[in-house]
């Protein structure tokens, strides 16, 4: 039942993401505010993806069942939150004038608040997953998405504009306060000792965050990179491709991101048979990608014409190719989790860094235009990174 609850929560999270984007393109101007919102959405979740390294390492440490250390994830979260506040403020000063040029100061303040809160959400997610408190973790996932969706609907009904969509992007990061307030078992779990001492835990979290940062750049930060790679291109065309990338990734990557903690536990328990443990998740994500390719090719254009602005239309073959590319990204995520679960932190980082470098070089260097460059980057990058992980596992 707990795992079933997590499945429901992840499905709800994926559908909520679709719904928020659909509402946003109905409310906001496509060439300006919607493009700014999509880039801001990408920036926040890419930054949050870096912080997810804390979740992954906390999950692994709690699930290892070797609570012999003195490190505490909640105290670590406090230190990391202070560092994140400074880093996100600097990021806003440097970058926000390009991402949200109409309201850079407000957007920066919202970003700092959201990322600091997300640090504690990431720590709680890791503890709940590692301790097997899947019902509480599922509630956290569902609440995060539900708050965001509720505000999007309110913004549509009340005529709120860009500022509301910037706020709803980060507001789900306060969900940890509700879970701690409502669940005694969740409150009791935050004092769990980990399997190592503070310095070693920080070192491992740092490695995991570097790799998570590379994965976030590839997964949620890619739309920002695509916008930057074609700054002089037609705004509507770039917005359409960014929208297609986000939409085609959601069916595969949103559920998989939420299940990463469960995969960490699976691979920790089966680390002696790691290749056998990899077979089912890899087969499932590639099969889902293949089904998604056909579905996106056949019915994707119909959905875009029916539900989205004509300015956001993308042909079916492009939608199918982007959907199958998300399965390659999912395979890279799975191999990365397997490497991390076997405590090969260096290989974990190397695989994601290689994937990111390959993808971004192709995105910025190829001369073929936004669609071809994006597709080439999203296939070649994950393949290169997964190869690094596979070699590392063998060694």
């Amino acid at each position: 039942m707990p795992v079933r609850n997590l499945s429901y929560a992840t499905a709800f999270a994926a559908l909520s993401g679709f719904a928020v984007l659909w509402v946003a393109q109905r409310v906001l101007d496509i060439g300006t505010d919607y493009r700014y919102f999509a880039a801001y959405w990408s920036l926040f979740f890419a930054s949050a993806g870096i912080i997810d390294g804390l979740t992954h390492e906390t999950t692994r440490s709690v699930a290892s069942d070797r609570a012999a250390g003195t490190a505490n994830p909640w105290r670590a979260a406090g230190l990391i939150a202070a560092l994140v506040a400074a880093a996100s403020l600097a990021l806003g000063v440097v970058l926000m004038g390009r991402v949200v040029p109409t309201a850079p100061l407000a957007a920066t303040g919202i970003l700092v608040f959201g990322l600091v809160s997300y640090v504690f959400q990431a720590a709680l997610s890791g503890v709940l997953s590692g301790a097997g408190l899947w019902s509480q973790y599922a509630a956290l996932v569902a609440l995060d998405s539900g708050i965001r969706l509720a505000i999007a609907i309110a913004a549509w009904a009340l005529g709120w504009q860009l500022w509301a969509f910037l706020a709803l992007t980060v507001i789900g990061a306060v969900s940890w306060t509700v879970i701690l307030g409502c669940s005694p078992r969740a409150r009791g779990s935050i004092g769990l000792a980990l399997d190592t001492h503070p310095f070693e835990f920080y070192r491992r979290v740092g490695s995991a965050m570097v790799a998570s940062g590379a994965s976030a750049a590839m997964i949620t930060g890619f739309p920002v990179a695509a916008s930057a790679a074609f700054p002089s291109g037609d705004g509507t065309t770039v917005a359409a491709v960014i929208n297609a990338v986000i939409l085609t990734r959601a069916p595969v990557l949103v559920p998989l991101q939420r299940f990463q903690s469960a995969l960490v536990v699976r691979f920790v328990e089966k680390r002696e048979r790691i290749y056998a443990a990899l077979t089912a998740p890899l087969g499932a994500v590639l099969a889902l990608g293949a089904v998604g390719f056909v579905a996106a090719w056949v019915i994707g254009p119909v959905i875009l014409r029916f539900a989205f602005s004509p300015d956001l239309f993308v042909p079916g073959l492009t939608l199918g190719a982007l959907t199958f590319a998300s399965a390659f990204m999912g395979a890279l995520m799975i191999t990365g989790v397997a490497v991390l679960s076997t405590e090969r932190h260096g290989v974990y980082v190397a695989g994601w860094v290689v994937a990111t470098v390959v993808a971004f070089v192709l995105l910025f260097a190829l001369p073929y235009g936004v669609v071809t460059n994006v597709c080439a980057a999203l296939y070649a990058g994950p393949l290169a990174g997964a190869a690094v992980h596979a070699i590392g596992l063998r060694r």
Side-chain angles (χ1 to χ4, degrees):
M1 181 65 71
V3 175
R4 183 184 302 173
N5 291 341
L6 181 57
S7 300
Y8 293 149
T10 56
F12 175 70
L15 293 173
S16 295
F18 275 121
V20 169
L21 292 171
W22 182 80
V23 170
Q25 61 87 34
R26 301 279 295 186
V27 174
L28 304 175
D29 179 79
I30 297 298
T32 56
D33 283 356
Y34 180 78
R35 180 175 177 178
Y36 302 151
F37 162 67
Y40 189 79
W41 175 282
S42 175
L43 177 63
F44 172 75
F45 285 104
S47 303
I50 299 173
I51 300 169
D52 281 337
L54 174 61
T55 299
H56 301 159
E57 181 56 28
T58 302
T59 301
R60 186 208 61 76
S61 189
V62 173
S64 69
D65 198 27
R66 301 193 305 266
T70 58
N72 178 275
W74 212 244
R75 288 195 296 269
L79 174 61
I80 294 171
L83 297 175
V84 164
S88 55
L89 180 60
L91 180 66
V93 170
V94 172
L95 193 61
M96 204 59 71
R98 288 177 173 267
V99 177
V100 189
T102 56
L105 292 180
T108 298
I110 293 170
L111 180 71
V112 172
F113 168 79
L115 291 178
V116 167
S117 185
Y118 191 80
V119 172
F120 295 97
Q121 184 138 311
L124 181 60
S125 297
V127 171
L128 295 177
S129 302
L133 299 178
W134 297 113
S135 293
Q136 289 83 350
Y137 180 61
L140 182 66
V141 170
L143 185 61
D144 179 286
S145 302
I147 293 173
R148 196 175 295 115
L149 178 59
I151 295 179
I153 294 172
W156 188 15
L158 298 175
W160 295 341
Q161 291 300 307
L162 179 61
W163 66 269
F165 287 88
L166 300 182
L168 72 84
T169 300
V170 311
I171 196 64
V174 303
S175 302
W176 63 274
T177 62
V178 178
I179 299 301
L180 285 183
C182 297
S183 172
R185 294 190 70 188
R187 289 195 300 273
S189 69
I190 63 176
L192 288 173
L194 303 179
D195 68 346
T196 187
H197 297 285
F199 179 80
E200 178 63 16
F201 181 69
Y202 291 136
R203 187 190 68 78
R204 292 182 175 186
V205 167
S207 296
M209 290 178 72
V210 169
S212 293
S215 68
M218 283 286 292
I219 297 170
T220 50
F222 196 85
V224 172
S227 182
F230 298 91
S232 60
D234 178 68
T236 301
T237 300
V238 176
V241 174
I242 289 174
N243 187 63
V245 170
I246 294 174
L247 291 177
T248 55
R249 287 185 163 196
V252 177
L253 297 187
V254 170
L256 184 57
Q257 282 179 307
R258 300 305 184 181
F259 266 103
Q260 279 189 97
S261 295
L263 287 172
V264 171
V265 175
R266 171 187 174 88
F267 293 141
V268 167
E269 292 175 346
K270 299 184 178 182
R271 72 184 86 190
E272 301 301 325
R273 305 186 310 278
I274 193 67
Y275 282 110
L278 271 168
T279 301
L282 286 176
V285 76
L286 292 174
L288 181 59
V291 172
F293 173 85
V294 176
W297 190 356
V298 174
I299 67 173
V302 177
I303 294 174
L304 283 181
R305 286 194 179 95
F306 175 76
F308 288 85
S309 165
D311 291 333
L312 295 177
F313 180 79
V314 174
L317 183 58
T318 300
L319 291 173
L322 290 173
T323 302
F324 195 51
S326 69
F328 279 66
M329 188 69 68
L332 176 60
M333 291 169 63
I334 292 169
T335 60
V337 169
V339 169
L340 180 65
S341 301
T342 56
E343 302 186 41
R344 292 173 169 88
H345 292 74
V347 176
Y348 177 60
V349 172
W352 277 108
V353 170
V354 167
T356 303
V357 170
V358 170
F360 281 16
V361 166
L362 293 177
L363 177 65
F364 282 87
L366 290 178
Y368 302 118
V370 60
V371 173
T372 302
N373 284 23
V374 164
C375 288
L378 293 180
Y379 278 94
L383 280 173
V388 172
H389 287 159
I391 293 170
L393 281 174
R394 179 175 296 277
R395 291 180 177 176

